Structure formats: structure tokens, C-alpha cells
Amino acid sequence: MSETWNEILPGLWMGGTPDDEWIDIPAAWPAGVQRDERPFDVVVSLFALSQPFGWGVQELRYGFADGDPRRIDMDAVVDVAAWAYEQWRLGHRVLVRCQAGLNRSGLVTALVLVLDGWDPADAVALIRRCRSSMALCNE
């Protein structure tokens, strides 16, 4: 997995947050400076320490810890996935990202696919094929 993001289906991307784009690291772009490229219209950020994605991008931020699912508000995670799914179905280029781009983003991306009618096992297989065989490796 050498890329920050991978396209899972047309317009639906999954990925992580580069180490130099955490909140405690000074932003690469000074305040008020807009990036010329906008690879995504919508970003779902699941890693609380990721820098905001940037100007002109609609972003939903819902940080939660990677790990024990009993400590996760799954109703909120499903709501996030439903919002991402709606944005994707509207034709927006959607990125779902977390820290490493494997488990939290994999969970939400898989839920988006399930909302689209995919069988859960097929959704996981697609994510592992397109992103990484290590995706969704948490118990």
C-alpha cells in the first residue's frame, strides 16, 4: 500500500492521512491559501488528528478510536456512512479517510457499499483488492 488513497469504485475513495498532515504539524498550506486541485468534493475524516482537507471541500469529521468495537458508537458510524453514501450517489467524489487507511475508513467504506446493495463479504473483498489485503484486519 504505497498510495495515500485508492479508488474503490468510481467516485468512491478510501485512504489515510499522511504523517505530515496531522493537526500538531504546521499545515503545508498557509491560512487563506487555496489548493488549485480538488481531487475530492466530499471528505469523511475519521482520524481526529488529521488536518482539515482544505478549501472548497465539504468535510464531515467524526473521529473515533481504532480498536475495540464496543467502545465505538456504531449508530454514529452508520450515520456517517449514510451521509457518505448519499454524497456519493449524488455524484460527488468522496474520500473516506482515517489514519492508516485500513480499518476505520474500511469499516465506513464497507458500510457505504452495503448501503449500495453489496453483500458484506463482497464489499470487504473489493476493499482488500483495491486498497490493501490488510484492510479491515481488526477483529
Side-chain angles (χ1 to χ4, degrees):
M1 181 181 65
S2 61
E3 297 184 23
T4 304
W5 311 298
N6 296 91
E7 195 167 25
I8 305 303
L9 286 177
L12 179 63
W13 296 74
M14 178 180 148
T17 303
D19 290 343
D20 63 349
E21 292 188 12
W22 290 25
I23 285 179
D24 58 348
I25 310 273
W29 297 90
V33 174
Q34 188 169 347
R35 294 182 187 190
D36 290 333
E37 85 286 351
R38 275 190 354 157
F40 307 107
D41 304 304
V42 171
V43 174
V44 174
S45 294
L46 305 169
F47 176 50
L49 296 180
S50 61
Q51 290 273 4
F53 200 83
W55 297 87
V57 176
Q58 188 174 6
E59 184 171 7
L60 186 150
R61 299 180 67 85
Y62 182 69
F64 63 93
D66 187 13
D68 188 345
R70 294 171 294 185
R71 296 176 49 202
I72 298 170
D73 181 348
M74 286 306 294
D75 290 334
V77 172
V78 170
D79 288 345
V80 168
W83 183 81
Y85 174 71
E86 178 183 347
Q87 297 303 311
W88 179 53
R89 297 309 301 159
L90 288 170
H92 297 295
R93 297 166 296 174
V94 175
L95 167 65
V96 180
R97 69 176 179 163
C98 59
Q99 182 179 4
L102 296 173
N103 290 302
R104 287 169 283 188
S105 60
L107 172 62
V108 171
T109 301
L111 289 170
V112 168
L113 295 173
V114 168
L115 289 169
D116 196 48
W118 283 70
D119 174 79
D122 292 338
V124 171
L126 177 67
I127 288 167
R128 287 181 175 159
R129 186 170 57 251
C130 294
R131 175 66 181 155
S132 169
S133 61
M134 294 301 298
L136 294 160
C137 63
N138 282 356
E139 293 181 18

